[in-house]
Amino acid sequence: MAKITKVSPLAPVAFPELPAIDGVRFATVEASVRYQGRTDVMLAVLDPGTSVAGVFTRSATRAAPVLDCQDKVGGANDGPAAILVNSGNANAFTGHYGQSSVTELTQAVATATGVDVGRVFTSSTGVIGEPLPHERIVAQLEVLKSGLSRHAIEDAARAIMTTDTFPKGASAQVEINGKTVSIAGIAKGSGMIAPDMATMLVYIFTDAQVAQPALQAMLGTQADRTFNCITVDSDTSTSDTLLLCATGASGVDATCNDAFARALEGVMLDLAHQVVRDGEGATKFVEIRVTGAVSDIDAKVHGLAVANSPLVKTAIAGEDPNWGRVVMAIGKSGAAADRDLLSISFGDILVAEKGWVSPDYREEDAAAYMKGQDLVIAVDLGLGDGKSTVWTCDLTHGYIEINADYRS
Amino acid sequence: MAKITKVSPLAPVAFPELPAIDGVRFATVEASVRYQGRTDVMLAVLDPGTSVAGVFTRSATRAAPVLDCQDKVGGANDGPAAILVNSGNANAFTGHYGQSSVTELTQAVATATGVDVGRVFTSSTGVIGEPLPHERIVAQLEVLKSGLSRHAIEDAARAIMTTDTFPKGASAQVEINGKTVSIAGIAKGSGMIAPDMATMLVYIFTDAQVAQPALQAMLGTQADRTFNCITVDSDTSTSDTLLLCATGASGVDATCNDAFARALEGVMLDLAHQVVRDGEGATKFVEIRVTGAVSDIDAKVHGLAVANSPLVKTAIAGEDPNWGRVVMAIGKSGAAADRDLLSISFGDILVAEKGWVSPDYREEDAAAYMKGQDLVIAVDLGLGDGKSTVWTCDLTHGYIEINADYRS
C-alpha cells in the first residue's frame, strides 16, 4: 500500500461550503472493506424523476462496476435512484467474481432502499485483483439507510478517498427565470496515477430539471473540456466514473440553458483542478495553453504531449525554464507544427519565437517565474485557430517514493 | 547541465572489439564546442561507391543537420562520402542560423576532404537553442583529416557521447558465398530522454556491397524492429539520426541476403539495447513481450503502453510484481484487448489469466523474480497472432535527479 503522505502543498485551505441539493440524501459508514477506523462506503439516494448521466473510463480492461453503470445510464428514470461507492477495493480484474459482487450489492441496495435495481449505480476504488468483500457492505446497508441526510455531502467526499490527501468538493448556483438552481459535486483521485489505490470518481448533483438525453450530451461536452483535459502521469484507471444527477426538485428546467451549462463546467473544472492539485508528489500546478493550432483536436494533442512529457515535468519540478523540452514535446506529439512559426511563453515572459530564443529573453526572469506554485506555459503554433488548455502537475521524487519505494 | 553520473549498473563489462571495415576511416579531435578536456568531434571518411541509408527522428521540430541529412540520403553515390559529428551542442531550434552553420560545416568538410558537399553528412548533439560555434570545428578539420585511421572507431564512439555513461559499439561478421562480410556500429544516447544534452545517434558501417535503395529499405525494416522498439521515457529527440554506410570494399553483394539482414539486425538490436541500458537512472533492463494481439501493430501499441507507463516503470524500480499496473496499461493503450482473455507472466511465472490472478500464483515467487536486473514481462492478449517485443528500463530517483535536480 502506498505511503500515507501529508496533505498536498497545492490543497485548498479548507473543504468548501456546499449547498444542500433538494432531492439527494447521503450517508456514510465504516464497513472495513480494507481500511480500519475510517468511513469507506457512501450511499446517495435520489428522489423519483432524477436524470442520471455518466461518463466512464475508456479503458479496455474496465472494472465490473463500470460496465454495470454503463449499462444502466440512460435507462428509465421515473423511480428513485441510488449510488453506492466503496473505497479500499476496486473490484477490478476480479474475473466473473467481480460481476457477482456487483449483482449482490445492487440487489441488496434495491431491497434496502426500494430503488429499482436498474437504477442502482455502484463504484469501487482501491486495490486491483482482490475479491470485493461485498458482504461487509451489505451488512451495513440498514445503518446507511437510517443515516441518510441532506447535509452529509462532505462526509461522502471523505468516505470515497483512497490515496487522496484532501477531500474534494465544488459548487455553483445560477439564476434561471428568477429562480435559483444549485449544483454540488464531490470527487476523489490523485490523478489517474495509482490504479492500485486510486481512481477518479466524481459525483455531481443538481436540483435543476434536465431530461436524461440532454443531460448526457451536456456532461459529455463538459467532460471533454474539464476532466479529459487533466493528466498527472498519462496513466488511466480501470474504474474512472463520473455521474451527474439532476433531481429536478427546483422545478426549473435547465435543458439547453447556457448559464447552467457554464455553471456546471465551472464545478467540473474546479473538481478536475483539485484532482491535479492532489497528484502524487505534486508541488506545482501547471496550465498548458495551446493556441494557433490547425484544429482544437491538434491543440489538445500538443497540450497533452507537453503535459505528459517526463522531461517537461521534471524540468518544472526543478524550477528550470527549460523551453527546449517544450519544443521537443511539441515536435514529438504527432500533430502539425512548424518549428519556425512556434512561440513559447512562461507566464508573461516570451521565451521563444520564430524558431529561436526570443531576443528579449532573459533566463533569470524565467527562472524567477518558475519558482511560483501555479504556472502557465503557453504555446502558439502560428498555424490556425485551434486552441486547447490542459492542466497537469510536476514529476518529483515524491511520485517515485509513493509508487516505487513502498510495496503495494 | 546534467550531473555527471557514474557508469550505468547495466553497462557491458567493456567496449567490444570491433573489426575494421574496409573503406572507412575515422578521426576525432578536441574542438571545445562545449566540453573541455575530451574529444567532441568525429570525422568518418568513406571510400567512393559507398551507399548511405538513413533513418531520422519523426519530430516536427527537427534540427537543421537532420533536415540536411534527409535531403542528401539517397542522392548520387559514386564519389567518396563523409560524416562529421559533434557533441556538446545540438544546433537545434537555432532558427536560420542553424542552417547557416550546417552549410558552413559541410562546405568546409568538402573543401578539406575533397568529398562532394552533397555527400557530407553532419549530426550535432548537445544543448538546444544555442548557436553552434561551427568555426571551432572548422579550425580542426586539417587535424582531423591528417588523423584518419581504419582503427579509430572506438575513439569515434567516445567523441559523440553526451550524457552517456559508457561508449556503445557492436559488430557482426557473416559468410556470403565463402567470403566474410563485416558490420560494425557505434551509438550514443541515454534513450530519448534528455534533449538538452542527449540524442540518439547511430552510425553503422559494412564492407558489404548493397545498392542504396535496397540498403534504405533494409534499414527501415530493421529500425522498426530495433531502435523503434526501445523507449526510456517516451520523449523523442529533435536530432535522432541513424546512418548505415555500405562501402562495398569486400566485393560481396549482400543485396537481399537474409544472413546479412539478420546480422545487421543483430548489430542494431545490440546497440539499441545498450542505449536502454544507459537510460538515465536505469537499474533494470526490461523486455516486454506481447503476443496474441489482433495485429503486430496492436501488439506494439500495447507493448509501448506498458513500457512507457510511469506506474509500471516505478513498480519495476521498486521490485514490485504489480501486475495490476500492467492490466491498467494494456487497458489504456487504445489497442484491442479483452480483460477476460488476458494473461500476464513475469519471467516464467504465470501471474494472471482469464481476467483474474492465476490460481497457482504466489506473490513471493514474483517478488523474488523482480529482484533480478534483466526482466521479462509477457502479455498474451488471446485474440490473434499479432506479436511485438519492446525494451525499456525502470523509472527511478536517478531519473528525477538528473532531469530535475540540476539546472541545465
Side-chain angles (χ1 to χ4, degrees), chain A residues 42-222:
Chain A
M42 81 142 209
L43 175 68
V45 176
L46 299 140
D47 282 358
T50 298
S51 299
V52 180
V55 170
F56 304 94
T57 178
R58 292 172 186 152
S59 170
T61 54
R62 281 185 283 268
V66 174
L67 296 170
D68 186 66
C69 280
Q70 284 185 298
D71 280 350
K72 291 172 175 175
V73 159
N77 72 334
D78 33 355
I83 301 172
L84 182 86
V85 184
N86 75 273
S87 56
N89 184 311
N91 191 18
F93 213 67
T94 41
H96 296 302
Y97 186 91
Q99 183 51 49
S100 307
S101 282
V102 173
T103 304
E104 297 277 347
L105 269 184
T106 52
Q107 285 180 344
V109 171
T111 304
T113 60
V115 172
D116 184 275
V117 73
R119 296 265 284 165
V120 177
F121 303 90
T122 68
S123 305
S124 295
T125 175
V127 72
I128 283 185
E130 291 185 12
L132 177 68
H134 55 261
E135 66 288 351
R136 297 184 200 167
I137 302 171
V138 170
Q140 299 295 329
L141 285 176
E142 287 303 320
V143 177
L144 282 166
K145 187 184 166 191
S146 65
L148 286 166
S149 156
R150 294 179 65 236
H151 303 288
I153 190 169
E154 181 175 344
D155 296 339
R158 291 183 188 279
I160 64 175
M161 288 168 65
T162 57
T163 52
D164 303 64
T165 73
F166 60 90
K168 298 164 187 72
S171 68
Q173 291 188 311
V174 57
E175 294 278 313
I176 298 178
N177 302 331
K179 285 184 128 174
T180 299
V181 167
S182 298
I183 305 171
I186 57 174
K188 63 87 44 179
S190 314
M192 286 63 67
I193 59 172
D196 312 78
M197 300 300 297
T199 273
M200 193 171 69
L201 299 179
V202 186
Y203 306 95
I204 302 174
F205 306 92
T206 176
D207 53 9
Q209 187 180 319
V210 187
Q212 203 281 337
L215 196 70
Q216 183 67 41
M218 184 183 290
L219 184 67
T221 302
Q222 307 290 40

Side-chain angles (χ1 to χ4, degrees), chain A residues 58-64 67 93-97 128-131 192-196 233-238 309-312 314-315 317-325 327-328 330-332 335 337-340 342 352 354-357 363 367 395-397 399-401 403-408, chain B residues 58-64 67 93-97 128-131 192-196 233-238 309-312 314-315 317-325 327-328 330-332 335 337-340 342 352 354-357 363 367 395-397 399-401 403-408:
Chain A
R58 292 172 186 152
S59 170
T61 54
R62 281 185 283 268
L67 296 170
F93 213 67
T94 41
H96 296 302
Y97 186 91
I128 283 185
E130 291 185 12
M192 286 63 67
I193 59 172
D196 312 78
D233 60 2
S234 79
D235 279 338
T236 305
S237 163
T238 51
S309 160
L311 281 171
V312 171
T314 48
E319 302 185 335
D320 178 3
N322 197 321
W323 56 273
R325 295 184 182 179
V327 174
M328 174 280 302
I330 294 292
K332 75 161 182 172
D338 181 327
R339 188 190 64 186
D340 297 335
L342 203 57
K354 297 177 190 152
W356 205 3
V357 66
E363 171 96 356
L395 173 58
T396 69
H397 284 292
Y399 182 85
I400 307 282
E401 267 164 37
N403 289 300
D405 293 354
Y406 300 88
R407 291 288 310 282
S408 59
Chain B
R58 291 171 186 154
S59 170
T61 55
R62 282 184 283 268
L67 295 170
F93 214 67
T94 41
H96 296 301
Y97 186 89
I128 283 184
E130 291 185 11
M192 285 64 66
I193 59 173
D196 313 78
D233 60 3
S234 79
D235 278 338
T236 306
S237 164
T238 52
S309 161
L311 281 171
V312 171
T314 48
E319 303 186 334
D320 178 3
N322 197 320
W323 56 273
R325 295 184 181 178
V327 174
M328 176 280 302
I330 293 292
K332 75 161 182 172
D338 181 327
R339 188 190 64 187
D340 297 334
L342 203 56
K354 297 176 190 154
W356 205 5
V357 66
E363 171 95 356
L395 173 56
T396 68
H397 283 292
Y399 182 85
I400 307 282
E401 266 164 40
N403 289 301
D405 294 355
Y406 300 88
R407 292 287 311 281
S408 56

Side-chain angles (χ1 to χ4, degrees), chain B residues 111-394:
Chain B
T111 304
T113 59
V115 172
D116 185 275
V117 73
R119 297 266 283 164
V120 177
F121 303 90
T122 68
S123 306
S124 294
T125 175
V127 71
I128 283 184
E130 291 185 11
L132 177 68
H134 55 261
E135 66 289 352
R136 297 185 200 166
I137 302 171
V138 170
Q140 299 296 330
L141 284 177
E142 286 304 320
V143 178
L144 282 166
K145 188 183 165 191
S146 66
L148 286 166
S149 155
R150 295 178 64 233
H151 302 289
I153 191 168
E154 180 174 346
D155 296 340
R158 291 183 187 279
I160 63 176
M161 289 168 65
T162 56
T163 53
D164 303 64
T165 74
F166 60 89
K168 299 165 187 70
S171 68
Q173 291 188 311
V174 56
E175 294 279 314
I176 299 178
N177 301 332
K179 286 183 128 178
T180 299
V181 167
S182 298
I183 306 171
I186 56 174
K188 64 86 47 179
S190 314
M192 285 64 66
I193 59 173
D196 313 78
M197 300 301 297
T199 273
M200 192 171 69
L201 300 179
V202 186
Y203 306 95
I204 302 175
F205 307 92
T206 176
D207 53 9
Q209 187 181 322
V210 187
Q212 203 282 336
L215 196 70
Q216 184 67 41
M218 185 183 291
L219 185 66
T221 302
Q222 307 290 39
D224 277 343
R225 293 183 192 162
T226 56
F227 289 104
N228 288 337
C229 290
I230 63 171
T231 178
V232 169
D233 60 3
S234 79
D235 278 338
T236 306
S237 164
T238 52
S239 306
D240 290 339
T241 295
L242 162 57
L243 292 177
L244 169 60
C245 310
T247 66
S250 67
V252 179
D253 190 340
T255 307
C256 301
N257 182 286
D258 279 350
F260 180 78
R262 281 196 303 274
L264 176 65
E265 184 176 346
V267 170
M268 291 171 70
L269 198 58
D270 189 342
L271 291 171
H273 286 182
Q274 289 185 52
V275 169
V276 173
R277 287 180 182 279
D278 210 4
E280 286 177 338
T283 67
K284 309 272 187 188
F285 178 80
V286 189
E287 178 167 309
I288 317 283
R289 284 184 203 153
V290 179
T291 54
V294 166
S295 67
D296 288 356
I297 291 170
D298 260 34
K300 193 164 174 179
V301 169
H302 281 305
L304 288 173
V306 174
N308 281 324
S309 161
L311 281 171
V312 171
K313 294 163 85 78
T314 48
I316 294 167
E319 303 186 334
D320 178 3
N322 197 320
W323 56 273
R325 295 184 181 178
V326 178
V327 174
M328 176 280 302
I330 293 292
K332 75 161 182 172
S333 79
D338 181 327
R339 188 190 64 187
D340 297 334
L341 296 177
L342 203 56
S343 71
I344 298 169
S345 299
F346 289 171
D348 292 333
I349 303 164
L350 180 62
V351 177
E353 58 180 333
K354 297 176 190 154
W356 205 5
V357 66
S358 167
D360 297 330
Y361 175 67
R362 300 190 326 145
E363 171 95 356
E364 55 269 38
D365 296 341
Y369 177 74
M370 297 300 285
K371 293 192 184 303
Q373 200 169 60
D374 283 30
L375 302 174
V376 176
I377 297 177
V379 176
D380 189 274
L381 279 304
L383 296 174
D385 296 327
K387 63 183 172 17
S388 179
T389 300
V390 305
W391 295 272
T392 191
C393 58
D394 53 345

